């Protein structure tokens, strides 16, 4: 920051006292004011965006973020369990993140999901991806290393889990889509024909003429017709 202020290229370490700073400064008064403004902008950006990462170690922050995302994913599956197991399952999800030793909570979660989750209810691969994320998180939390490689493996597995959750579970066939659209069009056509007959009867009752495609009877037609 001092280099921005005084355009100094010196590499010596020195205390930024007033006299030393002024003696090394090669900036005019106008430039000085401009660079003071630049430092104010930089300071604002730092305080707004970099205060938290500067105080908290990235690895600890990343592990807490892993726990928050994993807990949310596991808790979203709690509604699929029998009602008498949901409360204990939710407590295990909380203990997995909050307790220093997550092994017991992880074992309880795996047991409940394996034995009490209704079969064929979740898409294929969901349970495997969820178990992989759970094991990776427990390993990182117990070992305390949380290396970049371990972080990468967890986030890849979590990404695959999200992909499986959001993937459509039906086979997309264009012919089937056209068949559905044709069916909807036929249903709408039947409704419009019924409405046409009803309006034609009303026109015949009022004017003595059936409803025809002409400018004199356009006011009786349905907008879609």
């Amino acid at each position: 920051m001092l280099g921005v202020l005084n355009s100094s290229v010196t590499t010596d370490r020195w205390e930024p006292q007033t006299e030393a700073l002024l003696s090394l400064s090669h900036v005019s008064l106008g430039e000085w004011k401009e660079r003071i403004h630049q430092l104010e902008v930089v300071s604002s950006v730092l305080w707004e965006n970099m205060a938290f990462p500067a105080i908290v170690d990235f690895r600890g922050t990343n592990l807490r973020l892993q726990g928050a995302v994993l807990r949310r994913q596991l808790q979203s599956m709690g509604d699929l369990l029998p009602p008498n197991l949901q409360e204990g399952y939710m407590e295990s999800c909380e203990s997995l993140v909050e307790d220093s030793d997550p092994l017991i909570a992880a074992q309880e979660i795996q047991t409940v999901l394996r034995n009490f989750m209704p079969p064929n209810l979740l898409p294929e691969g969901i349970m495997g991806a969820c178990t992989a994320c759970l094991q990776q998180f427990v390993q990182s939390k117990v070992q305390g290393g949380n290396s970049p490689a371990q972080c990468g493996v967890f986030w890849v597995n979590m990404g695959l889990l999200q992909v499986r959750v959001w993937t459509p579970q039906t086979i997309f066939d264009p012919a089937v889509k056209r068949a559905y659209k044709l069916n909807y069009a036929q249903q709408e056509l039947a409704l419009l024909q019924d409405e046409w007959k009803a309006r034609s009867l009303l026109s015949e009752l009022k004017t003595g003429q059936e409803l025809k495609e002409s400018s004199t009877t356009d006011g009786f037609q349905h907008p879609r017709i």
Side-chain angles (χ1 to χ4, degrees), residues 28-168:
S28 63
L29 182 59
E31 285 184 293
W32 181 271
K33 292 182 179 180
E34 179 184 355
R35 298 194 183 194
I36 287 290
H37 175 68
Q38 293 177 3
L39 287 181
E40 291 176 351
V41 174
V42 172
S43 175
S44 175
V45 172
L46 289 176
W47 276 108
E48 291 177 1
N49 300 293
M50 298 187 65
F52 187 72
I55 296 174
V56 183
D57 180 68
F58 169 74
R59 293 182 177 180
T61 306
N62 181 69
L63 187 61
R64 285 197 294 273
L65 180 59
Q66 290 182 11
V69 174
L70 180 61
R71 175 174 55 189
R72 185 178 183 87
Q73 184 64 50
L74 292 173
Q75 289 179 342
S76 66
M77 301 166 63
D79 295 336
L80 305 177
L81 297 171
N84 58 332
L85 297 176
Q86 292 182 6
E87 183 177 358
Y89 175 79
M90 293 296 182
E91 293 178 356
S92 298
C93 293
E94 293 290 338
S95 301
L96 178 69
V97 179
E98 301 297 336
D99 295 351
S100 57
D101 187 6
L103 291 176
I104 298 178
Q107 292 175 357
E108 293 176 351
I109 292 173
Q110 292 184 24
T111 301
V112 171
L113 294 179
R114 182 174 59 252
N115 298 333
F116 298 99
M117 181 65 68
N120 302 325
L121 183 61
L122 294 174
E124 183 180 358
I126 290 290
M127 294 301 300
C130 189
T131 302
C133 293
L134 180 61
Q135 294 175 349
Q136 191 64 39
F137 173 75
V138 171
Q139 181 180 358
S140 299
K141 191 170 184 179
V142 171
Q143 294 179 356
N146 199 23
S147 65
Q150 291 177 332
C151 296
V153 171
F154 174 86
W155 289 118
V156 167
N157 288 327
M158 180 58 67
L160 292 174
L161 175 60
Q162 296 300 319
V163 169
R164 292 182 182 276
V165 169
W166 288 102
T167 300

Side-chain angles (χ1 to χ4, degrees), residues 8-9 14 16 20 24 40 46 55 57 76 82 96 111 116 119 123 153 159 167 170 172 176-177 187 202 214-215:
S8 176
V9 296
W14 50 278
L24 290 175
E40 291 176 351
L46 289 176
I55 296 174
D57 180 68
S76 66
L96 178 69
T111 301
F116 298 99
V153 171
T167 300
T170 57
F172 178 77
V176 175
K177 180 179 179 180
Q187 293 177 5
L202 178 62
S214 63
S215 59

Side-chain angles (χ1 to χ4, degrees), residues 204-219:
E204 186 176 2
L205 179 64
K206 289 185 175 181
T207 64
Q209 295 182 354
E210 294 182 356
L211 188 64
K212 299 179 180 179
E213 295 184 7
S214 63
S215 59
T216 58
T217 59
D218 283 344

